[in-house]
Amino acid sequence: MADEGGTDSQAEEFEYFFSGNVKYNDEPLEGVSISVSGNGYEAETETDENGQWTIGVPEKDAYEVTLDEDTLPEGVIVEDGQSTVDAEFGLTSRKAVNFFLGEGQRVTTDYGAQVLIRVVNGLNFGLLLALAAIGLSLIFGTTGLSNFAHAEMITFGALMMLTFSTTLAFPVWLAILIAVVLAAGLGWTLDAGLWKPLRKRGVGLIPLMIVSIGLSLALRYTFQFFYGGSTRQLPGATLPREISLGPILLSWIDVASMATSVVVLLAVAYFLLRTRIGKATRAVSDNAPLAAASGIDVDRVIRIVWVLGGGLAGLAGILWAYFRPGVSWDMGFQILLLVFAAVTLGGLGTAFGALVGSLIVGLFIEVSTLWLPSDMKYVGALLVLILVLLFRPQGILGRRERIG
């Protein structure tokens, strides 16, 4: 059992820290690996000769604390498989985390099973990433704007879901529907109140991009002002993984997330390929002046794209909150670079390219943890982006005419 203890030497640079004392049969266990992750932060340490450990964290928030069973002595395991626990600070700056140890044999997963597990997780992450990336790609394709405030549109959807499901106690399905509609409404409001007037004044793309950065900062800290800096969970976010498909363990949330993403992406594909307004959207994305000369109402198409992009971003935010898990004021910003990487990798301005790029990024991020430390997985994804663009600057599905 691990009980309260530890020294502060490993956490002097932080104001808040987790600590514990790992023992088995009253004997301290040295060299046991303990890691903490959450809110974009990860850290790892080992117990000392007294079995004590301390890890500092930058924020007083919720984290996952994990004991690596592979570093325990032979025949010792964490009881009930609780090697990872959710820990959150109370009124103090110190939080003791307890692990209960017992006698038993660890069951190891072979390499092929680990690859399969990470592929499924990568598909789940890639699909939700695609929802956000497609909206961003359509906005870029129709307006030429690199919208950095897209991160806050992602966050907005998750915050609205939190508000209606937890604060106002609406049914989950209704809270999701309301959150997506409000996120779509945010897209409409931003275009009507900000982007369209700026376009009418002939503001260049670089100033527009700078405005989007400022808007992103303003919205992000507005969210922090109203919702605080803590991370809160959506209903059902901590459901156990009780669906077993061979070595793969999934929760019903995982299944619902992937199914929802696939259905919505198919609906978006049908919209773009089969509907009149979808074909007009593709025409504006390819050549806006020519589309206008052909009788297409470009401003109307752009307004619809902003509404669609806002709704998709809001839904992506909800699914991202379940995948992390947790809702925080800057959660959209945490994956903004990955969204841009997916859009660029697939081909700027192409919705289907954004889908392909998102799946590649999601799969690479999860599978790469077989060889890379978990805190390096995002760096690996961006390295792949750089390599692809060195050999194919227009992206996988992009056309050379879009460059330059």
Side-chain angles (χ1 to χ4, degrees):
M1 169 181 170
D3 41 44
E4 185 173 348
T7 63
D8 297 354
S9 60
Q10 299 175 2
E12 290 178 349
E13 60 180 301
F14 297 106
E15 184 178 355
Y16 310 103
F17 55 91
F18 296 102
S19 62
N21 188 358
V22 181
K23 291 184 178 182
Y24 179 64
N25 290 338
D26 293 326
E27 292 292 329
L29 301 181
E30 182 180 0
V32 177
S33 178
I34 308 289
S35 61
V36 171
S37 64
N39 307 306
Y41 175 79
E42 294 183 1
E44 185 175 354
T45 191
E46 291 184 353
T47 56
D48 60 18
E49 65 273 8
N50 298 315
Q52 298 175 343
W53 63 272
T54 299
I55 299 182
V57 294
E59 299 178 7
K60 189 175 184 181
D61 218 326
Y63 295 85
E64 286 187 348
V65 182
T66 301
L67 185 152
D68 186 356
E69 286 189 292
D70 291 337
T71 60
L72 291 173
E74 186 67 27
V76 180
I77 63 172
V78 180
E79 291 185 351
D80 300 323
Q82 298 297 315
S83 58
T84 298
V85 297
D86 295 323
E88 187 168 4
F89 291 96
L91 298 178
T92 66
S93 60
R94 174 194 289 266
K95 174 67 177 180
V97 179
N98 299 321
F99 294 96
F100 296 89
L101 306 184
E103 184 178 353
Q105 296 296 322
R106 292 185 292 278
V107 178
T108 59
T109 304
D110 61 48
Y111 185 79
Q114 292 182 36
V115 172
L116 188 59
I117 292 170
R118 284 166 172 77
V119 166
V120 173
N121 289 336
L123 284 174
N124 190 5
F125 183 50
L127 286 170
L128 73 88
L129 200 64
L131 295 175
I134 287 176
L136 181 64
S137 183
L138 288 174
I139 290 171
F140 177 86
T142 54
T143 66
L145 171 66
S146 297
N147 180 30
F148 284 82
H150 204 75
E152 280 54 59
M153 297 170 74
I154 295 172
T155 304
F156 182 79
L159 290 176
M160 291 301 99
M161 172 66 181
L162 178 70
T163 300
F164 285 93
S165 64
T166 302
T167 307
L168 300 180
F170 280 42
V172 170
W173 67 269
L174 183 57
I176 293 175
L177 181 61
I178 294 174
V180 172
V181 170
L182 289 177
L186 176 63
W188 185 94
T189 302
L190 291 177
D191 184 56
L194 179 62
W195 302 117
K196 183 178 178 179
L198 291 177
R199 287 197 306 272
K200 292 296 185 183
R201 289 181 173 272
V203 177
L205 292 178
I206 298 299
L208 287 177
M209 183 182 69
I210 295 173
V211 170
S212 78
I213 295 173
L215 177 63
S216 173
L217 291 171
L219 290 175
R220 194 182 315 154
Y221 288 102
T222 299
F223 294 156
Q224 185 189 34
F225 178 81
F226 285 103
Y227 287 89
S230 63
T231 298
R232 287 179 279 178
Q233 301 298 328
L234 295 178
T238 57
L239 286 178
R241 297 190 169 191
E242 54 188 21
I243 303 174
S244 178
L245 301 174
I248 303 171
L249 292 177
L250 299 172
S251 69
W252 286 108
I253 293 295
D254 296 327
V255 174
S257 174
M258 288 187 283
T260 300
S261 297
V262 170
V263 170
V264 172
L265 290 172
L266 289 175
V268 172
Y270 179 85
F271 166 78
L272 292 174
L273 295 175
R274 299 295 183 182
T275 66
R276 184 176 180 181
I277 189 64
K279 294 176 181 178
T281 299
R282 290 161 56 204
V284 173
S285 181
D286 284 336
N287 193 320
L290 181 59
S294 302
I296 295 175
D297 188 341
V298 174
D299 283 334
R300 178 171 176 265
V301 169
I302 291 175
R303 182 66 51 80
I304 291 172
V305 165
W306 272 99
V307 171
L308 178 62
L312 291 175
L315 179 58
I318 296 170
L319 299 184
W320 172 229
Y322 277 113
F323 187 85
R324 296 178 67 214
V327 178
S328 66
W329 62 283
D330 63 343
M331 57 180 291
F333 179 72
Q334 293 173 8
I335 61 170
L336 178 64
L337 191 57
L338 297 179
V339 175
F340 271 108
V343 171
T344 308
L345 182 62
L348 292 172
T350 63
F352 297 107
L355 171 59
V356 173
S358 297
L359 293 176
I360 292 175
V361 170
L363 285 169
F364 184 87
I365 283 175
E366 293 298 325
V367 175
S368 65
T369 56
L370 290 170
W371 314 287
L372 298 176
S374 59
D375 54 353
M376 289 289 290
K377 60 186 181 181
Y378 294 152
V379 176
L382 297 176
L383 178 62
V384 170
L385 169 65
I386 294 172
L387 292 175
V388 170
L389 295 184
L390 283 174
F391 295 98
R392 189 174 173 82
Q394 69 270 33
I396 296 173
L397 297 184
R399 299 195 307 230
R400 290 190 180 274
E401 301 90 89
R402 297 183 185 276
I403 305 298

